[in-house]
Structure formats: structure tokens, C-alpha cells
Amino acid sequence: MTRIYNSILALALFLTGGVYMMPAQTQPAVPQTLPVPGVAAPAPVPQPPRPAPAFYRNLVVLDPAHGGRDNGAQLSSNAVEKDLTLAFAQKLRPALVAQGFTVVVTRDSDPSDELTTDERAGIANHVRPLVCIVIHATAAGNGVHVVSSSLAEVDSKPSSRALLWNRAQEPMVAMSLKLANEVGLTLETNHLPVMLFRASVPPIDSLICPTIAIELAPLKGNSGKPMLPSDSSYQQRVITAIADGIASFRTHNAPPPTSVPGAKPGVTP
Ligand SMILES: [Zn+2]
């Protein structure tokens, strides 16, 4: 019966879009008692409501930085960063959908009033994604900069300490570093120069999911002019690598729902 229930549960989770319920603390087995003839069976013990999933394993939040009156960096004479980050997110989205992800964006237009850091964090934290990707671009440097929070790694349980809004990323830093490594690896596999570093790029430190910022810099080859971040073939190579890296992170850190019963140790972010 339990096995059938688990199968139905797994099927239901699959049909509802692969919502991954984080394995709760392993519950001790309930002692079974055989019914005694003539004695009424004990009333069933009410079960507590199922906890909300800790995160959705097929959900990604993209945060195109800047917008509105905040142009970001001047990338060339006719290109500003806020437009590039938006266009890049719009191209990254279908690549992630092709990997089976649902994508939520913090903005899908150029708003008249720019989003505040808290508004961006609020959107991302509300939907509980597998990962959040903050998108920037720069006219300096070479290749792709992959940035994770500079906050110290904290091994904290939710109940053991208050979560400070501007340090909400702390318990997730280790997972964010894993995400940075996965994406860095797929970028390198696609022969793109990568620089991994840590910095408090807003709104990373206020996010409660594994998060990296991707900063697209010009691509300098051995000869000729560097490719600008606006170059579509360059962008496409980066997009393919990022989507592969996020999918790889999902495989290694968020097992599919069917494998949650008897979950492997170490999969909890
Ligand atoms: Zn920027």
C-alpha cells in the first residue's frame, strides 16, 4: 500500500510539473498494533498538513539587472546595459524551457520606474526557484564573469537563527558556489573564458535560493577585434552553456521526485 501511495504521489508530482518536495526529517516508523477482537480500533491520528515545498526543482528566476532610469553601463556608443540584460534574459528563457524549466523573470520590459533591490529579491524569494540568475554586462574584461555572494558560508538551519533580509543568502552560499562551478564548467567546455569570483552584487545577498550573477564581458580572441557582449553568436554560446550548467546543477543537487522516498543523503540545499 505504501509503495502504491508513493507511486501515486510521484506520478502526481510529475503531472503537476515536477514539484520537488524536500525530504523532511526522516519520521520514525509508527509502531503497528494488531486489532484485538471486540476492541474498537483507535481513531486515526490527524496528520499535520503537508509542508510547502522548499523549492521547485524545475523553476528558474532570471533577473535582468538595471532598467528604467538606471541604464547600467554604457557598452558601446549605442548600447546600454539595461537593454542587453533584458534581451539576454529573453533569449536565455527558451533555452531553459528546452531543458524542462519554467522561467520567472523579474522584468520583461523596460519599466518607467526601475525595480528596487528589495522588489527583485521579493519576486525571486516568493516563488522558491531551484536557482536565480542575475544578469549583467560590462564593456571591460574578457569572457563571462560568474559571481557568487561574498557572504561567509553559514551552515544554519531555518529554526536556529533569524534570517536577516540582507544576509538571507548566507545558508545558501555553499550551494551557490556549486552552481557557479557547474556553470563555469559548461562555459569552459564551450571554450569560453570564465572568471569566477565573489562579490555582493545586488540582490544576491537577499536571495534565499542558490544564486549567481552572470556578467557578460567582451570576448577577446587571439586576433582581430573582440566580440562585444551584444554579438548574437557570442550570446548564443553563453546561453547554451548556462542552460546546460543549470540543468547539470539540477541533476546533481535536486533529484527528481520519484527518487525522494529514501532520499540520498546530502541532497538538501
Ligand atoms: Zn550591471
Side-chain angles (χ1 to χ4, degrees):
M1 183 62 187
T2 306
R3 183 168 296 172
I4 294 169
Y5 173 74
N6 283 341
S7 300
I8 294 170
L9 174 64
L11 179 63
L13 289 171
F14 174 76
L15 292 174
T16 53
V19 175
Y20 170 50
M21 189 82 71
M22 290 293 293
Q25 300 275 327
T26 305
Q27 298 295 320
V30 178
Q32 299 291 314
T33 49
L34 293 172
V36 179
V39 177
V45 179
Q47 296 298 308
R50 294 169 65 89
F55 66 92
Y56 293 85
R57 70 182 298 273
N58 291 319
L59 186 62
V60 173
V61 168
L62 300 180
D63 178 33
H66 311 290
R69 291 162 296 183
D70 172 15
N71 284 339
Q74 189 75 38
L75 299 174
S76 65
S77 58
N78 58 354
V80 288
E81 187 183 0
K82 69 170 183 177
D83 295 332
L84 190 142
T85 59
L86 179 61
F88 189 87
Q90 288 168 340
K91 293 179 197 168
L92 179 54
R93 185 177 201 156
L96 289 166
V97 170
Q99 295 275 12
F101 289 107
T102 299
V103 177
V104 170
V105 292
T106 54
R107 69 180 179 100
D108 57 6
S109 65
D110 187 17
S112 50
D113 288 326
E114 58 271 23
L115 290 165
T116 65
T117 296
D118 284 353
E119 285 170 334
R120 292 174 192 272
I123 293 167
N125 289 342
H126 179 71
V127 297
R128 297 195 293 266
L130 173 73
V131 299
C132 183
I133 309 293
V134 180
I135 301 165
H136 284 269
T138 176
N142 181 28
V144 185
H145 305 155
V146 179
V147 190
S148 44
S149 171
S150 59
L151 290 171
E153 290 179 40
V154 171
D155 179 21
S156 86
K157 297 185 172 53
S159 58
S160 66
R161 61 195 297 274
L163 206 57
L164 299 173
W165 182 250
N166 62 351
R167 288 168 58 186
Q169 174 69 191
E170 272 182 345
M172 209 46 75
V173 167
M175 292 301 284
S176 295
L177 291 170
K178 286 186 181 185
L179 174 62
N181 280 329
E182 293 274 15
V183 171
L185 207 59
T186 49
L187 286 163
E188 276 192 351
T189 305
N190 283 274
H191 309 291
L192 290 158
V194 186
M195 186 166 69
L196 272 70
F197 62 97
R198 298 178 66 172
S200 285
V201 177
I204 289 182
D205 289 352
S206 298
L207 298 179
I208 58 175
C209 61
T211 301
I212 53 172
I214 298 288
E215 188 178 56
L216 202 57
L219 181 62
K220 294 170 183 165
N222 293 331
S223 59
K225 289 175 66 176
M227 280 186 178
L228 294 176
S230 54
D231 186 285
S232 59
S233 65
Y234 171 35
Q235 283 190 11
Q236 198 51 54
R237 287 173 61 192
V238 175
I239 283 166
T240 301
I242 292 174
D244 287 349
I246 296 171
S248 178
F249 176 83
R250 174 179 58 184
T251 301
H252 294 142
N253 297 286
T258 48
S259 68
V260 170
K264 293 174 272 182
V267 298
T268 307

